Amino acid sequence: MSTTPEQRVAIVTGGSRGIGRAVAERLAADGQTVAVVYAGNKTEADNTVAAIREAGGRAAAYQADVADEQAVAAVFDSVIAEFGGVDVVVNSAGMMALAPLASFDLDVLDRLHRTNIRGTFVVNQQAARHVRPGGAIINMSTSVTKLGLPTYAAYAASKGAVDAISLVLAKELRGRDITVNAVAPGPTATALFLDGKDEDTIDTMAKMNPLERLGTPEDIAEVISLVAGRGRWINGQTVYVNGGMVA
């Protein structure tokens, strides 16, 4: 599998399903070669790659725990060896766990922060070392950092760190023509959001924005496509993508 010199190459972590899969498919439709990084579900990752190829795009799957610096470095090395470089990195891998702060399991807190904070740091570290000029680094945040919903303290705290990492890295990459942003979805119809919620809760959250519906993975992928491509003047921002729930 080869690319032309002009073709951009994207790495999408968490790319086997949900928002990550929609992003992988959208970037491929934009003409980018996509490396789909998955934690453990090889079948879903292979399905994503197959869908991209069937649509005429280029893609390959790679396994890595985003919090494992050696595994992530190996993915970047493999992608560069196979496709010639890296232009876009979308860190969509994440974990959600909900419970009141007073009763939150601290072992779960450690696992959540390992994926959402350490994982973001590790992926961004490799991206900062390898993304070519004209590229983009995009991290997945959440609108819950502003909404402050009960039971979301641990998750929101981890994503607040994502916002901070993104802003600081954007400034550290001064002069390299690389943008760094966080994209913060509102409630989006993915397994990560829907699991464990009853219909009344889902309906209530869907109506919290003026458009009165849940977001779709494609809604989020549309914005990431812009930030990863022609939206070069968007840099060091947390972009809220939630139908008007919060600004």
Side-chain angles (χ1 to χ4, degrees):
M1 191 180 301
S2 62
T3 63
T4 65
E6 298 79 16
Q7 187 164 26
R8 287 162 72 83
V9 178
I11 293 176
V12 180
T13 72
S16 63
R17 59 184 187 152
I19 291 173
R21 174 168 179 166
V23 169
E25 292 182 347
R26 176 54 194 264
L27 294 182
D30 291 343
Q32 300 201 38
T33 296
V34 179
V36 176
V37 181
Y38 66 98
N41 197 327
K42 185 177 186 302
T43 299
E44 290 294 338
D46 288 343
N47 288 342
T48 302
V49 169
I52 289 171
R53 290 177 177 174
E54 288 169 8
R58 295 180 176 89
Y62 301 84
Q63 193 278 329
D65 171 359
V66 291
D68 181 338
E69 64 270 30
Q70 293 181 343
V72 172
V75 167
F76 274 77
D77 289 344
S78 295
V79 172
I80 291 167
E82 184 163 3
F83 301 116
V86 177
D87 301 284
V88 173
V89 175
V90 181
N91 185 43
S92 184
M95 172 185 172
M96 180 186 289
L98 306 179
L101 188 149
S103 59
F104 202 94
D105 185 323
L106 296 182
D107 288 337
V108 175
L109 177 70
D110 289 342
R111 293 199 301 273
L112 188 151
H113 282 193
R114 183 178 187 277
T115 297
N116 293 0
I117 298 178
R118 180 184 170 89
T120 298
F121 203 98
V122 167
V123 171
N124 279 241
Q125 188 172 70
Q126 289 298 317
R129 293 171 180 173
H130 295 297
V131 168
R132 295 184 285 202
I137 301 168
I138 302 159
N139 294 310
M140 198 64 65
S141 182
T142 177
S143 293
V144 174
T145 54
K146 284 196 171 185
L147 289 170
L149 298 176
T151 74
Y152 278 83
Y155 181 70
S158 73
K159 293 300 188 175
V162 170
D163 294 345
I165 290 168
S166 304
L167 174 58
V168 172
L169 183 57
K171 294 184 176 182
E172 289 180 350
L173 295 183
R174 172 184 292 272
R176 289 182 52 189
D177 190 24
I178 298 170
T179 63
V180 187
N181 293 285
V183 170
T188 305
T190 66
L192 184 69
F193 171 76
L194 297 172
D195 285 352
K197 295 182 175 70
D198 59 36
E199 288 298 324
D200 287 342
T201 299
I202 294 169
D203 186 58
T204 296
M205 296 188 76
K207 291 181 178 177
M208 288 175 70
N209 69 73
L211 300 180
E212 295 190 334
R213 67 171 176 86
L214 294 178
T216 67
E218 291 73 23
D219 289 328
I220 313 306
E222 182 77 18
V223 175
I224 290 176
S225 171
L226 172 66
V227 178
R230 292 188 294 177
R232 301 297 301 165
W233 202 234
I234 304 170
N235 190 27
Q237 305 299 312
T238 297
V239 182
Y240 292 90
V241 188
N242 52 46
M245 183 180 295
V246 294

